[in-house]
Amino acid sequence: MKTYLLLLIAVMFETFGSTCLQASQQFTRFWPTVGVVLGFGAAFWFFTLVLKTLPLGITYALWSGIGIVLITLSGWLIFQQRLDAPALIGIALIIAGIAVINLFSSAGHP
C-alpha cells in the first residue's frame, strides 16, 4: 500500500510539473518554470522509490494512466480546455485499463 501512495505522490508532482509547463508559456515565465523543474524533479525521485517494489512496465502504465486523467482535469479546471466525446471515451478506456491491472493482474501487486 505504501508503494501505491508513493506512486500517487509521484503522479501528483508530475501533474503539477505539467500544469506549470503549460503556464510557463514556453519557459518565458519565471515561477511556472521553477514549478516545472521542481515538479518533475520530485516526480521522478518518487518514481524511483516505486521502482524498488513494482516492475517498470506496470509502474509506468499506472503512472501514465493516472497522469492522463489528472492532467486532463487540470487542463479543464485551470486552462478551460474542453474535450469531445471520443476523447472522453478514450480516457474512460484508460481508466478501465488501470482497473484491470489493479484488480486482475498479479504483476501490479508488490
Side-chain angles (χ1 to χ4, degrees), residues 57-97:
I58 296 299
T59 302
Y60 197 77
L62 295 171
W63 161 290
S64 299
I66 297 166
I68 287 168
V69 172
L70 292 179
I71 289 298
T72 301
L73 286 173
S74 171
W76 178 63
L77 291 171
I78 297 169
F79 303 109
Q80 288 75 49
Q81 297 171 345
R82 303 290 181 244
L83 298 175
D84 59 10
L88 293 171
I89 291 168
I91 290 170
L93 290 171
I94 291 167
I95 294 169

Side-chain angles (χ1 to χ4, degrees), residues 4-75:
Y4 287 103
L5 177 61
L6 292 173
L7 179 59
L8 186 58
I9 291 168
V11 173
M12 302 278 280
F13 274 114
E14 189 265 338
T15 301
F16 173 75
S18 295
T19 301
C20 287
L21 188 60
Q22 174 75 34
S24 77
Q25 297 177 355
Q26 294 73 46
F27 301 116
T28 60
R29 297 178 62 215
F30 180 76
W31 288 114
T33 299
V34 170
V36 171
V37 173
L38 295 176
F40 282 115
F44 285 116
W45 185 74
F46 280 100
F47 189 76
T48 63
L49 298 178
V50 175
L51 290 175
K52 290 179 180 179
T53 306
L54 291 178
L56 176 62
I58 296 299
T59 302
Y60 197 77
L62 295 171
W63 161 290
S64 299
I66 297 166
I68 287 168
V69 172
L70 292 179
I71 289 298
T72 301
L73 286 173
S74 171

